[in-house]
Structure formats: C-alpha cells, structure tokens
Amino acid sequence: MDKDEIHLRRLPAAAPWGPHGDSEFHGVDFLPDDLSEAPDETGMRVNKKYSCLPAEEKGIHIINIRAIEDIGYDQHESTLLNSLSKNPDADCKYGLYFRDGKRKVDYILVYHYKKSSSGRALARRTHHNDMSVRSTKQDHPLPGKGVQLEMGESEPPADSHEDDKRFRREEYEGNLVEAGLELEHDEDTKIHGVGFVKIHAPWNVLCREAEFLKLKMPTKKMYQINQTHGLLKKINSVIQKITEPIQPKVAEHKPQTVKRLSYPFSREKQHLFDLSDRDSFFDSKTRSTIVYEILKRTTCTKAKYSMGITSLLANGVYSAAYPLHDGDYEGENVEPNDRKLLCEEWASYGVFYKYQPIDLVRKYFGEKIGLYFAWLGVYTQMLIPASIVGIIVFLYGCATVDENIPSMEMCDQRNNITMCPLCDRTCSYWKMSSACATARASHLFDNPATVFFSVFMALWAATFMEHWKRKQMRLNYRWDLTGFEEEEDHPRAEYEAKVLEKSLRKEHKHKETDKEKLTWKDRFPAYLTNFVGIIFMVGLTFAIVFGVIIYRISTAAALAISSTPSGRSSVRVTVTATAVIINLVVIIILDEVYGCIARWLTQIEVPKTDKNFEERLIFKAFLLKFVNAYTPIFYVAFFKGRFVGRPGDYVYIFHSFRMEECAPGGCLMELCIQLSIIMLGKQLIQNNLFEIGIPKMKKFIRYMKLKRRRSLDHEEHIKKKQRYEVDYNLEPFAGLTPEYMEMIIQFGFVTLFVASFPLAPLFALLNNIIEIRLDAKKFVTELRRPVAVRAKDIGIWYNILRGIGKLAVIINAFVISFTSDFIPRLVYLYMYSENGTMHGFVNHTLSSFNVSDFQAGTAPNDPMDLGYEVQICRYKDYREPPWSENKYDISKDFWAVLAARLAFVIVFQNLVMFMSDFVDWIIPDIPKDISQQIHKEKVLMVEVFMREEQGKLQMLETWKDKDKKKGENCNNHSPRLSRSHSGSLSSCHSYPVDI
C-alpha cells in the first residue's frame, strides 16, 4: 500500500450505503461501486466539514492525513484540532436543525436496525440531495454490495427480513428526495439500535404543497376589524379591564383591531403575500403538515404493491414518524419557544383560573386539537351558571327540609305505622319512623325546585350547543377556515393490504384486477361479527347488573339476621353503598375492555380512510360505554321497586330471591347515591388517576428499558440528547377520541339524571378545571407532538351531544314523573287532601295487609320482634284493603296517579322540546359581526384582484404606446438597427412587474 493511500476497514453490513447519493460518514464520502471501474466519478472525497469528524471514529481508520491534502482539501492540522474541540450539536440546536445549522428539521422518521456482533455499527450522518439520489438509483448496486472486504474478516449472516426493510426504506427515502425533500440520517444516538431520518422541506416544496393543499395564508393587505360603538364599546372596555388578570400573557390572545386578508397560497401570486421573512412565513405546524402530506402520498413499490408511510409504519419498516417539539419547556438556559410559553401559561395548575390561549394552542398543535380545547373551555364556562343554579336548588331543599310535611309524618313516632317485612322469614316487621333519615335526605333532591332545575338544564343544554356553534364560527373566521372543505383522505394501510389480497386472489384465478375495492360482501363477516359482538357486550353488561341485584337482595337478607339493632337499621345504606362500589369497579374495568373491543371490531371492518375509521370507532365505543355507565342507574331509576308484587304474592327470582323494594321515601335518594358515587369515582379514578399514573408508569418502564440497553461508553453519557431522541421517548399521540369520550359521558351525567342530583354540574365543573390543565400538561410534556390536522368543527361529537340533549329531556320527564313522588304529591294535594295541605299524604300512599294472608313459609320467624302482635302491616302501593270485596286489587287511586304521570311526561317533554327549539331558532348560528367580516373579506379580495387587472391593462397600454413610438423611429433606421431595437423591446417585455 502506498504511503499516500487511505486504508479502510470493512464497513459493517448493518450500516447501509443507501441508494440516494454519496453516502457520507461524518464528512467522508464513499461510493459503493468498484473504484477501478469508474475512475472519473468514483474514489473518495472529503467534505469541507471533515473537521467535525471525532477522533478515533469507530469503523474508519484514517492513516495518512496528507492524502486528504493531496486530493485538494488542504487544511492545516491546527484547524482540524481546533474544530474537533467544538460541539457540532450546539450548531444544530441539538437536533432542531440539520448538521449545517441552517435547515430546520420538519419531520422525523425512526427505524430499528441491528448492529454487528463486533461492536457498534459505523455511525452514519448523511445528507442526500436530489441529483445524487437519481444517479445512485440508476448506477449503484443495492446496499451491501460492491464493498471489498478486509482480509481476515468474514461476512456476517444476512437477515433477509431486515434487508427487506432496509431496501424498502432506501427506496422510499429516494422517492422522498425525488419529491423535493432533503434528508439527513443519524444512527450515532444514545438509543441502542435506533436510527433517525431527519426531513427538511425547502422553500420551493413548501410553496408547491401549500398551493396543492389550498392553505390560506396572510397577504400584505390589512383591513380594520369592525369595532363596537357607543354603549357596547364602553361595556366591552369595562369587561376587558375586569378580566385582564385572568387573560393569559401571550401575544396571540390579545384583542386585535386589524387583520391580514387571507387567500389560498399560489406561486403565481406570490407578490400578494408578505414574504419578507421566508423562514417564519410557514410556521413549524404548517411545515410538518406539508411534510406529512408528502409522506402519505409517496410510496415504495417493492413486493409488487405500493406502500405509503402508514403501511410502512404498520409493517415495522419504520417504527415511528412525528414532528419535533419546538424545544425544551424547562431549564435555566432554555431559549424562548412556543412550547415553553404553553407550559407556563396553559399547562400549569397555577393558571387554572385563566382563560386558555386557544390561538397559541392552535398555532402549535393545529386546528383539530385547538377546537377540542376550545370546546372543553366553552363547556366548562357554561357549567358555571348550571352549578350556581344547582347549588341554589340544593340549598332550597336544605332550607325547607324541616317544613316538609311528608318527611315529618314519617319521622313522627306517634303515628306508629308498622311496615311489612322486607324479606321472607328472616326479616321482621319494622317501624316507618326508622326510615326517617332517608326520608329527610330525599327531600334535599326531591322537591319542587328539582322540576324547575330539570327544565333549566334542558334549556341550558340547548343554549350550550348554540353558544358553541357561534364560538366555532368565530374560530373559523379567526383561523382562516371559512370555506374550508375536508377532502377525501388517503386509504389506510389495512385497507390497501386487503385490496391487494383480494386482487392477488383474482389474479391467481386469471380475472381482471383493475380498480379493486372492498364491497359489502367482503365485509359481511365483519358486519356479522360486529352485530353479534355488540349484542353480546350489551348482554354481558345486563348480566353483570343482574348479578349485582342478586348480591343486593342476598346481602340484605343476610344483614337482616344481624342480632344488633344498629346493623338491622343500616341494612339499606350498607347494601346500596357496597353495590354501587361494585358497580363502579365493574364500570371502570369494562370501560377499558370495551374500548379495546370497539377498536378490534372497527379494525376487522377495514374502513377505507382514517375519518371513516374514527367515526365507526367512536360510534361503537360510545354505544358500549354508554350502556356500561348508565345501565345500573337506569335500573334504579326505572325498574327497581316496579315489579315487586305485594305481601302474600311477591315476585321471586329463581324461586328464592324476592325483588327488592324502594324505600318509603322513594328510590330517588338511592338514585342520587348511585349517580354521585359512579360519577365522582369515574372522574377521580379513570379520568385523573389513570391519566396521571399510567403515562408516568409507561414513561418509567421505557426509561428503564433504555437504561438497560444503553451503552456504557463515556461519550454516550456526557453527550446531550438530540431533540428527536428526547421526543422519541415520549408517549405517541393516540388521538382525541378518549379525551372527547370521557367528556361526553360526563355530559350525560350532568344532563340525563340531573333531576335526581342537582350538584352534578358543580362536580363536573371542579373536575373540568383540573382536566383542562391535566390534558394540557399531557400534550405539552408527555406526548410526542401530533401532526397538525385542519378541521372546522368537532365532527360526529356534535351530533352525539345533540342526541344526549334530546334524550335528557325525555329521561328527566320520566325521572320526575315515575321515580320521584312529585306527581303523587300533586294528585293528593288537589284531589284527596281534605284541608288543602299535605297532611295524610304518607298514609294515603300506603296499603294495608292482613298478616294471616301470608303464604306458607313466608311469614316472619319472630312476629313479636316489635314487642306486640301485629295484625295489619302496611306496604307502599295503591291497592284495596283486606276488608274490601276485591282485596289487594289495584285501586282507582293508582290509575289516577298513573294518568297524571303520563300526562306530565307528555306536557313536560313537548314544552321543553319546544323551548329548546325556540332557543335554537332565536340564536343565530353565525354571529352578525362575523358574517359582516366574512363578507368584507370577500369584497376586499375582489378589489385586490380588480386593481391587479387594471394595473396589468395600464401596463399593456403603456407598452403599446412605446411600440408605436419605436415603430415610428424604426422607419428612419436600417433593418439591422430595427432588429436590434426589436430585440431590446422584447427584452423589455421580459422584466417582471410588481403590482
């Protein structure tokens, strides 16, 4: 070997050359072809940044530096040594930019690779350009070929699966470069066996894609936003001064008086846009959206079918794809960035009382996530008046409890009302006065004010929906989404795979395979599985509720045998509380199970696009979780105590368990307990504890795994992590469906059974104040940055909210009518009361039973438990007395009360529905000032284009006049000079004119 040659060790096969151009290993470029075959183009060049090469780079031994000088890259040794002491990571802001420190990283692709057994693979940091990739794809062999092996080293065993993944990556990345993107690789990371592809979109690509996507961008034209005048202006200024302490300290949240006119970006009309600062014209959110669109559109065609980024991720060719966060959010020397600002002014519990900086959220995360947090903020604000009214209703019940005649009669021991046993044999007779506490507590929630509150909440739900529609329109105007229409998304990877499978089957049978798609026949097994699966899950929920009913009945009978009087007196409370806790645990477990099952059922349907997938998943998950959460509550509200029978003729389950009865004060108190425990427990455990605990646990597990796999090399520990490495360790974004789902279920608790629990809006408000900051902290600090998605509304969730609002009117009508004693009290007051008061109401609702009519084996074992012999016991029902000719038959009072209940349901439902529709009609969907501003924008845009056209016409006329003058002058010149003037005139026409 000559003294001026460079000796190379064999490069490990795990470090692919790549077909995208000159593979550049820390400044040293190699071409994999035989060096002797193409002396003009091959060989070794040293990049001008070779000085960034760390000393003793593993895999490359530089023997003679003089060879580098001979090639033509002459640098002094002192320059090399000085540059080695610099930190190249600081120049690229630790991964936010390419190695040159100028091109910003817009997106990251992550892949796994296997390192050779001899040690770490050769670090690879390569930059690909368009020209080199095209030449490489045509001339160079596949990676791993064309490299001469060093003597004494053997070829490691090839992994065909890994090679296939590598070949697909190489082709895909080559296609990305052909699409105009710029790539840079990094395998020299602190994460073992993980490589990163940094993607940068240059200016021309951003302009091209912005035009394709019809992105509205701000123009140079600015206009004045219409301001209020007179009294409204003074009121608004006062409100602004009052609310100034609760406004976030961000520039985007300040009220603006001027707005830039927006127009879909066009390369032909670039003069309309303010391009003075090209680096900030497209923000990081827009850049990542553009790159993601290219990633979805670009395919690799290996294995006879095309694979986009979704297919490549699904097949493990890439393990992750995500845009980068703007930087660190905590630390002493952290540069100011939007992420840090969001962490301080939004994702902190210390600013819970402030408004959300929605415009900054949208700027950082995109419109879809911005709309979710805007909706959550509007919902939380609207809960404030509902909470205040609910507290007033509850306080009214507390203030009037001592004046409630029915509860006073039940607590009066002088009435000496003896009630029939609650179970067979083991239960004895009991005094009605023992249920005094339950009766007094029932009045807190079962009073005339709850009827008013039910009407109020129905109107509140309608007002909330209208308020959100108006807020949504304001955001659409502010975010330049007016006129935006969602285009059909790219097919999902699973759909493409199924279509491929179908086409291959037909190809095998020698049939036509053009334009294959999945039909209902292909999906019929999946539809059948969905139907059977959902029916089974709903049946499982009913079976579990039925099992809890059996538990309640058997436990009540067991506790009734208790020898202590206190144990017997607290049977009902004990059974109710324990049963509700069991229900809560089952609901939380089944919620997670049903979420997974709903996703699996949706996956086997193979929806074509992500939007279809999301809508079908939402429908199934909501249906299953709605049934799971509300079935126990529906049972207590509408079924408990309805099918009991009567003493001497009870209804039995399995011929041994008697159906449970409501308390003398009604089932409303028990419904309130059930609703409050399930709602509060679900919010505390599932929404908050799970959202905090599970991500922390996952993060800790990931950290421990990485720590075990991490190399013990000193360089690895002292080196600061790159931005893309830090973001890779964050949790992937799983979509907004779980976030919306928990809020929709909560909205159901607030509206559906609010007649039984007026404090539900208050607890929802307290939960949401924490929930907003919890979700914000999760998005800013715990999750990888999501791809920004444009959206003008909240999608299918709005229809679900409207459906729950309509259903709430019907359910509250039945709760007031059938679950509470509101209607029986009214009927007694106006039909049966002798003195126009409620005195005697309790006695009127109780029927009598002769104990001698008990069936054999059902009478109490200890009939003298109260100290005297009981002849007649009472039970709650409207039946004929034992001394009547038709004893124990349903009395006419029952039919009178039933008629009144049904009439109330009809009147209440229609009245409230009409009032809700009236609110919907009277409040316009689009605020008047916003509609005026939208119209003003259209007029201004027309004016801009008209001026441009007029300018062009004037310029053409000027040119025509010049042509005439030139023509006159040309008559006095030679033909040669005429041709010369003609050329100069034509060259004049080629100058660009800035209008």
Side-chain angles (χ1 to χ4, degrees), residues 88-98 101 335 722-723:
D89 290 339
D91 295 334
C92 63
K93 294 189 179 180
Y94 296 99
L96 286 173
Y97 288 80
F98 275 21
E335 293 184 6
Q722 303 289 320
R723 175 81 263 151

Side-chain angles (χ1 to χ4, degrees), residues 61 70 78 103 164 170 200 228 273 295 302 335 337 702 704 752 893 910:
H61 288 185
D70 292 342
S78 59
R103 290 169 295 170
D164 180 60
E170 288 159 356
H200 168 77
T228 55
F273 302 93
L295 291 177
K302 289 192 183 297
E335 293 184 6
N337 58 72
R702 262 197 319 272
M704 295 305 294
L752 292 180
D893 299 341
N910 285 281

Side-chain angles (χ1 to χ4, degrees), residues 287-419:
R287 296 175 71 100
S288 63
T289 302
I290 287 173
V291 173
Y292 183 63
E293 287 296 323
I294 298 174
L295 291 177
K296 287 196 295 184
R297 193 174 66 234
T298 307
T299 59
C300 70
T301 56
K302 289 192 183 297
K304 290 184 68 178
Y305 68 98
S306 62
M307 297 180 71
I309 187 61
T310 51
S311 302
L312 294 171
L313 288 168
N315 287 281
V317 178
Y318 290 104
S319 58
Y322 52 89
L324 291 179
H325 279 293
D326 278 359
D328 291 325
Y329 59 89
E330 58 184 359
E332 295 180 359
N333 300 320
V334 175
E335 293 184 6
N337 58 72
D338 287 343
R339 188 188 188 193
K340 186 174 186 294
L341 189 58
L342 282 171
C343 189
E344 293 170 353
E345 293 294 328
W346 182 52
S348 172
Y349 295 111
V351 294
F352 72 92
Y353 59 92
K354 288 188 177 183
Y355 285 101
Q356 299 182 84
I358 292 298
D359 291 323
L360 185 60
V361 174
R362 172 254 180 180
K363 178 187 173 186
Y364 193 79
F365 291 110
E367 285 79 7
K368 193 171 185 179
I369 293 175
L371 281 172
Y372 163 70
F373 281 103
W375 173 84
L376 185 55
V378 170
Y379 171 47
T380 304
Q381 288 175 20
M382 289 293 291
L383 282 172
I384 295 174
S387 302
I388 293 171
V389 176
I391 293 171
I392 292 172
V393 169
F394 179 72
L395 293 177
Y396 171 81
C398 295
T400 58
V401 67
D402 292 329
E403 301 171 6
N404 183 39
I405 295 175
S407 62
M408 290 169 61
E409 288 184 349
M410 289 180 65
C411 294
D412 190 356
Q413 297 185 359
R414 294 173 298 177
N415 287 336
N416 199 26
I417 298 176
T418 303
M419 302 298 292

Side-chain angles (χ1 to χ4, degrees), residues 8 81 181 214 352 372 390 493 619 684 818 862 879 912:
L8 303 176
L81 294 174
L181 298 178
K214 300 176 183 176
F352 72 92
Y372 163 70
F619 174 75
L684 181 65
F818 285 90
D862 186 10
R879 291 184 180 270
V912 175

Side-chain angles (χ1 to χ4, degrees), residues 187-366:
E187 289 181 1
D188 182 25
T189 65
K190 296 185 75 172
I191 305 175
H192 178 83
V194 175
F196 296 89
V197 182
K198 295 175 275 188
I199 302 176
H200 168 77
W203 173 254
N204 62 323
V205 174
L206 293 172
C207 294
R208 181 191 72 205
E209 296 299 323
E211 185 173 344
F212 291 166
L213 295 173
K214 300 176 183 176
L215 294 179
K216 275 192 172 183
M217 303 301 293
T219 63
K220 296 176 183 177
K221 175 70 175 177
M222 300 182 72
Y223 68 94
Q224 195 79 16
I225 297 176
N226 293 339
Q227 300 293 318
T228 55
H229 301 285
L231 182 62
L232 284 176
K233 185 177 182 180
K234 292 180 180 179
I235 293 173
N236 286 339
S237 63
V238 171
I239 292 174
Q240 285 180 8
K241 288 180 181 178
I242 294 173
T243 59
E244 189 175 355
I246 60 175
Q247 300 291 345
K249 296 177 182 178
V250 297
E252 286 80 0
H253 198 76
K254 294 178 180 177
Q256 298 182 357
T257 56
V258 293
K259 185 178 185 292
R260 286 190 179 273
L261 193 64
S262 295
Y263 186 73
F265 188 82
S266 172
R267 286 171 290 179
E268 294 180 354
K269 299 184 182 298
Q270 286 193 32
H271 56 274
L272 294 176
F273 302 93
D274 183 11
L275 303 180
S276 56
D277 186 5
R278 291 190 172 188
D279 292 337
S280 62
F281 183 73
F282 295 106
D283 57 15
S284 59
K285 176 255 303 180
T286 307
R287 296 175 71 100
S288 63
T289 302
I290 287 173
V291 173
Y292 183 63
E293 287 296 323
I294 298 174
L295 291 177
K296 287 196 295 184
R297 193 174 66 234
T298 307
T299 59
C300 70
T301 56
K302 289 192 183 297
K304 290 184 68 178
Y305 68 98
S306 62
M307 297 180 71
I309 187 61
T310 51
S311 302
L312 294 171
L313 288 168
N315 287 281
V317 178
Y318 290 104
S319 58
Y322 52 89
L324 291 179
H325 279 293
D326 278 359
D328 291 325
Y329 59 89
E330 58 184 359
E332 295 180 359
N333 300 320
V334 175
E335 293 184 6
N337 58 72
D338 287 343
R339 188 188 188 193
K340 186 174 186 294
L341 189 58
L342 282 171
C343 189
E344 293 170 353
E345 293 294 328
W346 182 52
S348 172
Y349 295 111
V351 294
F352 72 92
Y353 59 92
K354 288 188 177 183
Y355 285 101
Q356 299 182 84
I358 292 298
D359 291 323
L360 185 60
V361 174
R362 172 254 180 180
K363 178 187 173 186
Y364 193 79
F365 291 110

Side-chain angles (χ1 to χ4, degrees), residues 420-421 424 644-652 658 661 854-855 875:
C420 295
D424 293 342
V644 177
R646 61 169 179 83
D649 187 23
Y650 283 114
V651 176
Y652 291 91
R658 233 172 76 182
E661 304 176 39
F854 272 121
Q855 290 181 351
Y875 61 99

Side-chain angles (χ1 to χ4, degrees), residues 281 305 438 529 579 594 604 639 699 707 831 872 880 983 986:
F281 183 73
Y305 68 98
T438 307
T529 306
Y594 286 168
I604 64 174
F639 297 99
K699 191 175 180 181
K707 192 175 180 182
M831 290 182 62
I872 299 291
E880 296 291 342
S986 64

